[in-house]
Amino acid sequence: MTLIPAAIACLLLVTLGYSATCAASPFGRCRKCQGFGFEMSHDRKGRLKRGKNCRRCKGTGHRIRTGRWLYNRAARLYREGQR
């Protein structure tokens, strides 16, 4: 197998895998708060305590995946074009 077909097959496999992940689980953990929903802070003694709610995920701990966001945007444009 030459290099070009192998690269195309690899890219196709990665793309289909990511599409399947977006379809099965459209939400992932928030990258800023690591899925906690809030920032961790320290008190004066150095112990961890709960901080403020995360602004990126609004305290849910979840974010929508990029592929799912693009799919939702394309589907919305298609629906609005049908009217």
Side-chain angles (χ1 to χ4, degrees):
M1 191 175 222
T2 62
L3 190 61
I4 300 290
I8 291 172
C10 183
L11 286 174
L12 185 64
L13 184 67
V14 168
T15 303
L16 291 176
Y18 184 69
S19 298
T21 301
C22 288
S25 175
F27 294 99
R29 291 187 337 175
C30 177
R31 289 183 293 248
K32 185 167 182 149
C33 64
Q34 286 83 33
F36 283 124
F38 52 86
E39 290 287 329
M40 296 297 289
S41 61
H42 299 278
D43 61 2
R44 291 178 152 190
K45 294 181 181 179
R47 293 181 289 201
L48 287 174
K49 67 175 192 169
R50 183 190 163 134
K52 297 178 181 178
N53 281 347
C54 178
R55 290 179 9 183
R56 182 179 285 180
C57 66
K58 299 179 181 78
T60 62
H62 293 88
R63 63 170 178 85
I64 193 158
R65 296 184 193 274
T66 306
R68 186 60 183 211
W69 182 83
L70 289 171
Y71 172 77
N72 289 348
R73 181 64 56 106
R76 185 178 306 125
L77 282 173
Y78 181 76
R79 279 193 310 268
E80 289 174 358
Q82 294 292 318
R83 292 183 198 177

